[in-house]
Amino acid sequence: MVPIMTTRSAIDSFTEIATLRIELRGSDPLIWRVVEVPTSITLKVLHDIVQVSMGWCDYHLWEMVIDGKTYGLPMDEDFGTAPRKVADRVRLRDVLTGDTTRIDYIYDFGDSWEHSLVVSDVRAGAPGTGYPRFIAGERDCPPEDCGGIPGFYEMLEARVDPKHPDHADVVEWLDGYDPEELDVFPIEVALGRIAARRNAAAKRIIKPAND
């Protein structure tokens, strides 16, 4: 039988959460999200949460920089990037530094979508609540492969200018995209899938404590 104190500590660690604020740098007006996340997740799962919360499609390479250390996927080639630690071997709680932890997150080394992640307010999660959980946000994220922040705003300008040489092509490509709208339903569904996987793991932890 697993010692109760050890199992209880594991439960407390598993149910601990924090507030994650995500901001897309260079966006104006600001594109942002707030999500409650478990601190027991790996940095790879944190990447998954950022992807679905923002609305990205996870097509491209990415990395995080925390306190001067770089984390990402294992790669046979470094593609000119700094040496990295494997993100799915490091948990968020192990890189938290004090009351607030700032993380630089870059998605797509070509378009270079730079995000500011701020993790704060570490606390116990509410019983019976699934995490990660979407809290708030504003504006849709840019389309993939549109040229980063400069390309994104150039496309928006071309769409509203009938005299722009790329106007027709941009209108067709954006296909009704509205940067001011944020559809939270797919975000909540995707985060719910991540929470469901955690709930299955939680049952395996909690059951021994109740034996």
Side-chain angles (χ1 to χ4, degrees):
M1 181 176 178
V2 178
I4 294 299
M5 288 300 295
T6 300
T7 304
R8 289 296 181 192
S9 298
I11 294 171
D12 292 342
S13 178
F14 190 86
T15 58
E16 183 181 79
I17 66 167
T19 297
L20 168 67
R21 182 177 175 89
I22 308 164
E23 296 182 357
L24 180 60
R25 289 179 179 156
S27 59
D28 185 15
L30 186 66
I31 300 170
W32 62 274
R33 309 283 186 266
V34 173
V35 184
E36 292 177 334
V37 300
T39 62
S40 60
I41 58 173
T42 66
L43 297 184
K44 169 59 172 62
V45 175
L46 178 61
H47 154 78
D48 295 337
I49 291 171
V50 173
Q51 286 283 307
V52 301
S53 298
M54 290 299 293
W56 298 121
C57 300
D58 205 6
Y59 290 156
H60 303 285
L61 296 173
W62 57 276
E63 68 179 22
M64 296 178 188
V65 179
I66 309 170
D67 196 24
K69 298 181 178 64
T70 302
Y71 303 84
L73 296 174
M75 296 164 57
D76 294 332
E77 299 180 36
D78 61 15
F79 294 96
T81 60
R84 66 189 60 218
K85 295 179 180 292
V86 179
D88 63 3
R89 297 177 184 170
V90 180
R91 296 194 180 276
L92 176 60
R93 64 183 177 225
D94 296 330
V95 297
L96 296 180
T97 55
D99 295 335
T100 300
T101 300
R102 300 183 182 276
I103 301 173
D104 295 321
Y105 172 82
I106 300 177
Y107 171 59
D108 185 355
F109 297 157
D111 280 2
S112 190
W113 299 108
E114 297 183 6
H115 303 69
S116 172
L117 312 184
V118 177
V119 183
S120 63
D121 192 18
V122 175
R123 60 200 185 277
T129 301
Y131 299 100
R133 181 172 67 158
F134 178 81
I135 299 300
E138 287 185 304
R139 302 177 189 87
D140 201 357
C141 78
E144 296 267 5
D145 301 320
C146 68
I149 287 290
F152 173 53
Y153 287 111
E154 287 171 7
M155 289 182 63
L156 295 183
E157 290 175 2
R159 185 174 65 172
V160 300
D161 181 3
K163 296 182 179 180
H164 194 284
D166 297 327
H167 173 74
D169 290 339
V170 169
V171 169
E172 181 180 2
W173 192 63
L174 290 178
D175 190 28
Y177 167 82
D178 185 349
E180 293 300 318
E181 290 188 2
L182 175 61
D183 185 358
V184 302
F185 180 71
I187 297 175
E188 292 173 338
V189 169
L191 292 177
R193 292 194 184 106
I194 297 173
R197 292 198 295 269
R198 295 191 71 257
N199 288 342
K203 291 178 181 178
R204 294 193 295 270
I205 294 175
I206 292 172
K207 186 177 183 299
N210 295 328
D211 288 344

